[in-house]
Amino acid sequence: MSRSPRSLLDVATEALLASPGASLTEVAAAAGVSRTTLHRHYPTRHALLLAVAEHSVTRVERAYAGAGLDAAGDDAAAALRRLLTALIPLGPQLEFIHRERSLDDDHGLHARFDALDDLVTGLVRRGQDAGVLRADLPAWWLVSSLNGAVYGAWELIDLGRLAPLDAPGLLLTTLLDGIGR
């Protein structure tokens, strides 16, 4: 079965999450291609890891770009809903970025990913200024809570405990309304 490099990266992401120490041979088998075919695209395991990370960050950047995070403060909740809806299906990519320790020294990748938090922080601050979001909590905390909640939702979807279409509403309600009475 022949696959494009892009779909190889999606399969490689899932294979590497399922077995972080997977060899190129194991990743190739999961993708339904020969090791030679995989090696032609990614000559080393590190090259494959870098390609998966680049692919993952690019997909996440597209989700952020499409969410309209430059919205006015009054529209912060709607922009967050769009972001959550776009991010939840990218759970494997987000998990790979956070879990793959061999890429910790790649400051360019991490800078790209960290810049996305800056976009959300700006939206949160505008929402706080507009009185739509709580102003008594630091924006960085709200963004960290959002990131953790997205990861938690994806994990529950992966376990079959949460329906993907229910996740954005549950997440947003929990984040905006909290768990108190």
Side-chain angles (χ1 to χ4, degrees), residues 3 8 11 15 23-39 48:
R3 293 184 184 261
L8 273 174
V11 174
S23 68
L24 287 179
T25 301
E26 292 166 325
V27 173
V33 299
S34 70
R35 187 184 185 290
T36 303
T37 299
L38 185 64
H39 191 281
L48 176 64

Side-chain angles (χ1 to χ4, degrees), residues 64-65 67-82 119-128 130 133:
Y64 275 71
L69 299 179
D70 57 349
D74 290 345
D75 296 324
L80 288 173
R81 178 179 289 280
R82 289 189 300 271
L119 295 173
V120 181
T121 300
L123 174 67
V124 166
R125 287 189 179 131
R126 289 190 303 281
Q128 289 173 320
L133 302 177

